[in-house]
Amino acid sequence: MDIIRKIKDKLAYTVIVPLPYTRELQRAYNGVSVAGGQLKDKNAVVTGATSGIGLAISRRLLMEGCKVTLIGRNRAKLDEAVSEFANVGLTDTDVVLIDFLNYPDVVDKVNRLAQLKDIDIWVNCAGILKKKDRDPSFRSYDENDFLDVINTNLKSTYIVSRMVADSMLKKNIKGSIINISSICGFSKKLGFTGYGMSKAGVIEMTRKLAGEYKNKLKIVSIAPGSVATRMGNKSLEDNIAVDGTMITKHVALPEEIASLSALLCSNVGSYMNSETIIASADEIL
């Protein structure tokens, strides 16, 4: 035992206390407004709203007083999200079913939504990650997988952003478009081939669109690092603590990314137009 103690004394190591991702932790991060009432009665739309970051952003915007339209591709999951919000008194919601791999469906339903509502906030969070993205692959990445990821994560985001931006301008609304990209769009690490390329495209697209709609709309993106979501291989009750590679000593909670989204939609975020905010707590990928 004395030998083990001496070895430990010479080694640099970090002891991480388990941090379960619980409902109580979710509530703790949702307890205080970050927009100070500035978003009350705003019309917000969130794509990919049935799970992970999209679900958390929808909840945060409802808590900030927004009227929120949830968009997803699974009706049962949309209904489940609405029920979950209603159970805590967040009832100002409606839903739209959209398949982001179906171009006519996207155009038709986004057009109808833009005609029916004066949209103040649009959050593009819909995205997919293929199993192959987790492997250190490039040349072996399947073309069909690549096209699915690019069409969902980048093409649909571009199409929707242009349509929503034009609608905002037509209605003289100085609105906000928030694109959820990823730190994978910056990282040189092997893997996340299709996903990383699609998110790099979202980052550059955000910059270009913000330049085109300069002084008229706010268009920004958020590039999260690891987040406690199903896509990040985490679920409720899982341990989200990590070693010393991150200043927070835990991967991000979806609620943290949601709070940043709401902040960017408020007047406090006015000077961040065209930017991509890296939300990774110094995570090294």
Short mmCIF file of all heavy atoms in Angstrom, two decimals, residues 183-221:
data_model
loop_
_atom_site.label_atom_id
_atom_site.label_comp_id
_atom_site.label_asym_id
_atom_site.label_seq_id
_atom_site.Cartn_x
_atom_site.Cartn_y
_atom_site.Cartn_z
N ILE A 183 -18.87 22.23 -32.53
CA ILE A 183 -17.42 22.37 -32.48
C ILE A 183 -16.76 21.45 -33.51
O ILE A 183 -15.62 21.69 -33.93
CB ILE A 183 -16.89 22.07 -31.06
CG1 ILE A 183 -15.45 22.59 -30.90
CG2 ILE A 183 -16.99 20.59 -30.74
CD1 ILE A 183 -14.90 22.44 -29.49
N CYS A 184 -17.51 20.42 -33.95
CA CYS A 184 -16.99 19.51 -34.99
C CYS A 184 -16.76 20.25 -36.30
O CYS A 184 -16.03 19.77 -37.16
CB CYS A 184 -17.95 18.35 -35.21
SG CYS A 184 -18.11 17.24 -33.79
N GLY A 185 -17.39 21.40 -36.46
CA GLY A 185 -17.16 22.20 -37.65
C GLY A 185 -15.82 22.91 -37.65
O GLY A 185 -15.37 23.42 -38.68
N PHE A 186 -15.16 22.93 -36.50
CA PHE A 186 -13.83 23.55 -36.36
C PHE A 186 -12.73 22.50 -36.18
O PHE A 186 -11.58 22.73 -36.54
CB PHE A 186 -13.79 24.47 -35.13
CG PHE A 186 -14.64 25.69 -35.24
CD1 PHE A 186 -15.88 25.74 -34.64
CD2 PHE A 186 -14.21 26.81 -35.96
CE1 PHE A 186 -16.68 26.87 -34.72
CE2 PHE A 186 -15.01 27.94 -36.06
CZ PHE A 186 -16.24 27.98 -35.44
N SER A 187 -13.07 21.37 -35.61
CA SER A 187 -12.08 20.39 -35.18
C SER A 187 -11.39 19.69 -36.35
O SER A 187 -12.01 19.40 -37.37
CB SER A 187 -12.74 19.35 -34.28
OG SER A 187 -11.83 18.32 -33.96
N LYS A 188 -10.12 19.39 -36.17
CA LYS A 188 -9.36 18.61 -37.16
C LYS A 188 -9.30 17.13 -36.77
O LYS A 188 -8.66 16.34 -37.45
CB LYS A 188 -7.94 19.16 -37.28
CG LYS A 188 -7.85 20.56 -37.84
CD LYS A 188 -6.42 20.99 -38.06
CE LYS A 188 -5.72 21.22 -36.72
NZ LYS A 188 -4.35 21.76 -36.90
N LYS A 189 -9.96 16.79 -35.69
CA LYS A 189 -9.92 15.41 -35.21
C LYS A 189 -10.56 14.47 -36.23
O LYS A 189 -11.57 14.80 -36.86
CB LYS A 189 -10.66 15.29 -33.88
CG LYS A 189 -10.64 13.89 -33.28
CD LYS A 189 -11.39 13.86 -31.96
CE LYS A 189 -11.40 12.45 -31.37
NZ LYS A 189 -12.15 12.40 -30.11
N LEU A 190 -9.98 13.28 -36.41
CA LEU A 190 -10.54 12.28 -37.31
C LEU A 190 -11.92 11.86 -36.82
O LEU A 190 -12.17 11.76 -35.62
CB LEU A 190 -9.62 11.06 -37.41
CG LEU A 190 -8.32 11.26 -38.18
CD1 LEU A 190 -7.46 10.01 -38.07
CD2 LEU A 190 -8.59 11.58 -39.64
N GLY A 191 -12.80 11.59 -37.74
CA GLY A 191 -14.16 11.23 -37.40
C GLY A 191 -15.09 12.41 -37.63
O GLY A 191 -14.67 13.49 -38.02
N PHE A 192 -16.38 12.19 -37.41
CA PHE A 192 -17.40 13.21 -37.63
C PHE A 192 -17.28 13.80 -39.04
O PHE A 192 -17.41 14.99 -39.24
CB PHE A 192 -17.30 14.30 -36.57
CG PHE A 192 -17.48 13.80 -35.17
CD1 PHE A 192 -16.40 13.57 -34.34
CD2 PHE A 192 -18.76 13.52 -34.71
CE1 PHE A 192 -16.58 13.07 -33.06
CE2 PHE A 192 -18.95 13.03 -33.41
CZ PHE A 192 -17.86 12.80 -32.59
N THR A 193 -17.03 12.93 -40.01
CA THR A 193 -16.75 13.37 -41.38
C THR A 193 -17.91 14.14 -41.98
O THR A 193 -17.81 15.34 -42.24
CB THR A 193 -16.40 12.17 -42.26
OG1 THR A 193 -15.20 11.57 -41.77
CG2 THR A 193 -16.16 12.61 -43.70
N GLY A 194 -19.02 13.46 -42.24
CA GLY A 194 -20.17 14.14 -42.82
C GLY A 194 -20.74 15.18 -41.88
O GLY A 194 -21.07 16.30 -42.28
N TYR A 195 -20.87 14.82 -40.62
CA TYR A 195 -21.43 15.73 -39.61
C TYR A 195 -20.58 16.99 -39.48
O TYR A 195 -21.08 18.11 -39.51
CB TYR A 195 -21.52 15.00 -38.27
CG TYR A 195 -22.18 15.81 -37.18
CD1 TYR A 195 -23.56 15.94 -37.13
CD2 TYR A 195 -21.42 16.42 -36.19
CE1 TYR A 195 -24.18 16.67 -36.13
CE2 TYR A 195 -22.02 17.15 -35.18
CZ TYR A 195 -23.40 17.27 -35.15
OH TYR A 195 -24.01 18.00 -34.15
N GLY A 196 -19.27 16.80 -39.34
CA GLY A 196 -18.37 17.95 -39.20
C GLY A 196 -18.39 18.86 -40.41
O GLY A 196 -18.39 20.09 -40.29
N MET A 197 -18.41 18.26 -41.61
CA MET A 197 -18.46 19.07 -42.83
C MET A 197 -19.77 19.84 -42.93
O MET A 197 -19.80 21.01 -43.33
CB MET A 197 -18.26 18.17 -44.05
CG MET A 197 -16.87 17.57 -44.14
SD MET A 197 -16.71 16.31 -45.41
CE MET A 197 -16.77 17.32 -46.89
N SER A 198 -20.88 19.21 -42.53
CA SER A 198 -22.17 19.90 -42.58
C SER A 198 -22.19 21.07 -41.60
O SER A 198 -22.72 22.15 -41.91
CB SER A 198 -23.31 18.93 -42.27
OG SER A 198 -23.32 18.54 -40.91
N LYS A 199 -21.61 20.87 -40.42
CA LYS A 199 -21.62 21.94 -39.42
C LYS A 199 -20.63 23.05 -39.76
O LYS A 199 -20.87 24.23 -39.44
CB LYS A 199 -21.32 21.35 -38.04
CG LYS A 199 -22.41 20.42 -37.52
CD LYS A 199 -23.76 21.12 -37.44
CE LYS A 199 -24.83 20.26 -36.82
NZ LYS A 199 -26.12 20.97 -36.69
N ALA A 200 -19.53 22.71 -40.43
CA ALA A 200 -18.63 23.75 -40.93
C ALA A 200 -19.36 24.61 -41.95
O ALA A 200 -19.20 25.84 -42.01
CB ALA A 200 -17.38 23.12 -41.55
N GLY A 201 -20.20 23.96 -42.76
CA GLY A 201 -21.00 24.68 -43.73
C GLY A 201 -22.00 25.62 -43.06
O GLY A 201 -22.22 26.75 -43.51
N VAL A 202 -22.61 25.17 -41.97
CA VAL A 202 -23.56 26.01 -41.22
C VAL A 202 -22.85 27.24 -40.66
O VAL A 202 -23.40 28.35 -40.69
CB VAL A 202 -24.22 25.20 -40.09
CG1 VAL A 202 -25.00 26.13 -39.15
CG2 VAL A 202 -25.15 24.14 -40.66
N ILE A 203 -21.64 27.06 -40.17
CA ILE A 203 -20.87 28.18 -39.61
C ILE A 203 -20.59 29.23 -40.68
O ILE A 203 -20.79 30.43 -40.47
CB ILE A 203 -19.55 27.66 -39.00
CG1 ILE A 203 -19.85 26.84 -37.75
CG2 ILE A 203 -18.58 28.81 -38.69
CD1 ILE A 203 -18.69 25.98 -37.27
N GLU A 204 -20.14 28.79 -41.85
CA GLU A 204 -19.84 29.73 -42.92
C GLU A 204 -21.12 30.32 -43.51
O GLU A 204 -21.17 31.51 -43.85
CB GLU A 204 -19.03 29.03 -44.01
CG GLU A 204 -18.60 29.93 -45.17
CD GLU A 204 -17.70 31.09 -44.74
OE1 GLU A 204 -17.16 31.05 -43.61
OE2 GLU A 204 -17.55 32.04 -45.53
N MET A 205 -22.16 29.51 -43.63
CA MET A 205 -23.44 30.00 -44.13
C MET A 205 -23.98 31.10 -43.24
O MET A 205 -24.51 32.11 -43.73
CB MET A 205 -24.44 28.85 -44.19
CG MET A 205 -25.80 29.25 -44.73
SD MET A 205 -27.11 28.14 -44.17
CE MET A 205 -27.23 28.61 -42.45
N THR A 206 -23.86 30.92 -41.92
CA THR A 206 -24.32 31.94 -40.98
C THR A 206 -23.62 33.27 -41.23
O THR A 206 -24.25 34.33 -41.25
CB THR A 206 -24.06 31.48 -39.53
OG1 THR A 206 -24.80 30.28 -39.28
CG2 THR A 206 -24.47 32.55 -38.52
N ARG A 207 -22.32 33.20 -41.43
CA ARG A 207 -21.54 34.42 -41.67
C ARG A 207 -21.97 35.11 -42.97
O ARG A 207 -22.12 36.34 -43.02
CB ARG A 207 -20.05 34.08 -41.72
CG ARG A 207 -19.13 35.28 -41.67
CD ARG A 207 -17.68 34.84 -41.51
NE ARG A 207 -17.18 34.20 -42.70
CZ ARG A 207 -16.62 34.84 -43.73
NH1 ARG A 207 -16.50 36.16 -43.70
NH2 ARG A 207 -16.18 34.19 -44.79
N LYS A 208 -22.18 34.32 -44.01
CA LYS A 208 -22.57 34.89 -45.30
C LYS A 208 -23.97 35.50 -45.24
O LYS A 208 -24.21 36.62 -45.74
CB LYS A 208 -22.53 33.82 -46.39
CG LYS A 208 -21.15 33.23 -46.67
CD LYS A 208 -20.22 34.28 -47.27
CE LYS A 208 -18.92 33.62 -47.72
NZ LYS A 208 -17.94 34.60 -48.23
N LEU A 209 -24.92 34.77 -44.65
CA LEU A 209 -26.28 35.28 -44.56
C LEU A 209 -26.36 36.53 -43.69
O LEU A 209 -27.09 37.47 -44.01
CB LEU A 209 -27.22 34.20 -44.01
CG LEU A 209 -27.59 33.06 -44.95
CD1 LEU A 209 -28.51 32.07 -44.24
CD2 LEU A 209 -28.26 33.57 -46.21
N ALA A 210 -25.61 36.52 -42.59
CA ALA A 210 -25.61 37.70 -41.71
C ALA A 210 -25.08 38.92 -42.46
O ALA A 210 -25.56 40.04 -42.27
CB ALA A 210 -24.76 37.43 -40.47
N GLY A 211 -24.10 38.71 -43.34
CA GLY A 211 -23.58 39.80 -44.14
C GLY A 211 -24.61 40.31 -45.13
O GLY A 211 -24.73 41.51 -45.37
N GLU A 212 -25.36 39.39 -45.71
CA GLU A 212 -26.37 39.78 -46.70
C GLU A 212 -27.53 40.55 -46.06
O GLU A 212 -28.07 41.48 -46.66
CB GLU A 212 -26.91 38.53 -47.40
CG GLU A 212 -27.93 38.84 -48.48
CD GLU A 212 -28.30 37.62 -49.31
OE1 GLU A 212 -27.54 36.63 -49.26
OE2 GLU A 212 -29.32 37.68 -50.00
N TYR A 213 -27.91 40.14 -44.84
CA TYR A 213 -29.03 40.80 -44.17
C TYR A 213 -28.53 41.78 -43.10
O TYR A 213 -29.24 42.08 -42.14
CB TYR A 213 -29.93 39.75 -43.52
CG TYR A 213 -30.65 38.88 -44.54
CD1 TYR A 213 -30.13 37.64 -44.90
CD2 TYR A 213 -31.83 39.31 -45.13
CE1 TYR A 213 -30.78 36.84 -45.83
CE2 TYR A 213 -32.49 38.51 -46.05
CZ TYR A 213 -31.96 37.29 -46.40
OH TYR A 213 -32.60 36.49 -47.33
N LYS A 214 -27.36 42.30 -43.29
CA LYS A 214 -26.72 43.20 -42.33
C LYS A 214 -27.63 44.37 -41.97
O LYS A 214 -28.27 44.96 -42.84
CB LYS A 214 -25.41 43.72 -42.93
CG LYS A 214 -24.58 44.54 -41.98
CD LYS A 214 -23.27 44.95 -42.65
CE LYS A 214 -22.40 45.77 -41.71
NZ LYS A 214 -21.15 46.21 -42.38
N ASN A 215 -27.66 44.71 -40.68
CA ASN A 215 -28.44 45.82 -40.13
C ASN A 215 -29.95 45.61 -40.20
O ASN A 215 -30.72 46.50 -39.84
CB ASN A 215 -28.11 47.14 -40.85
CG ASN A 215 -26.65 47.51 -40.72
OD1 ASN A 215 -26.03 47.27 -39.70
ND2 ASN A 215 -26.10 48.09 -41.77
N LYS A 216 -30.37 44.42 -40.63
CA LYS A 216 -31.80 44.15 -40.75
C LYS A 216 -32.25 43.00 -39.84
O LYS A 216 -33.34 43.04 -39.28
CB LYS A 216 -32.15 43.84 -42.20
CG LYS A 216 -31.83 44.99 -43.15
CD LYS A 216 -32.03 44.58 -44.59
CE LYS A 216 -31.64 45.71 -45.54
NZ LYS A 216 -31.75 45.29 -46.97
N LEU A 217 -31.41 41.97 -39.74
CA LEU A 217 -31.72 40.80 -38.93
C LEU A 217 -30.50 40.38 -38.14
O LEU A 217 -29.37 40.70 -38.50
CB LEU A 217 -32.16 39.63 -39.82
CG LEU A 217 -33.35 39.81 -40.74
CD1 LEU A 217 -33.51 38.57 -41.62
CD2 LEU A 217 -34.62 40.07 -39.95
N LYS A 218 -30.76 39.63 -37.07
CA LYS A 218 -29.66 39.03 -36.31
C LYS A 218 -29.58 37.55 -36.71
O LYS A 218 -30.53 36.80 -36.55
CB LYS A 218 -29.91 39.14 -34.82
CG LYS A 218 -28.77 38.59 -33.96
CD LYS A 218 -29.17 38.49 -32.50
CE LYS A 218 -29.61 39.82 -31.95
NZ LYS A 218 -30.04 39.72 -30.54
N ILE A 219 -28.43 37.15 -37.26
CA ILE A 219 -28.23 35.76 -37.66
C ILE A 219 -26.92 35.30 -37.04
O ILE A 219 -25.84 35.80 -37.38
CB ILE A 219 -28.17 35.61 -39.19
CG1 ILE A 219 -29.45 36.18 -39.83
CG2 ILE A 219 -28.02 34.14 -39.57
CD1 ILE A 219 -29.48 36.13 -41.34
N VAL A 220 -27.01 34.38 -36.10
CA VAL A 220 -25.84 33.89 -35.38
C VAL A 220 -25.89 32.37 -35.27
O VAL A 220 -26.93 31.75 -35.52
CB VAL A 220 -25.74 34.50 -33.96
CG1 VAL A 220 -25.59 36.00 -34.01
CG2 VAL A 220 -26.95 34.13 -33.12
N SER A 221 -24.77 31.77 -34.90
CA SER A 221 -24.77 30.33 -34.66
C SER A 221 -24.06 30.02 -33.35
O SER A 221 -23.26 30.81 -32.85
CB SER A 221 -24.11 29.56 -35.82
OG SER A 221 -22.72 29.76 -35.84
#
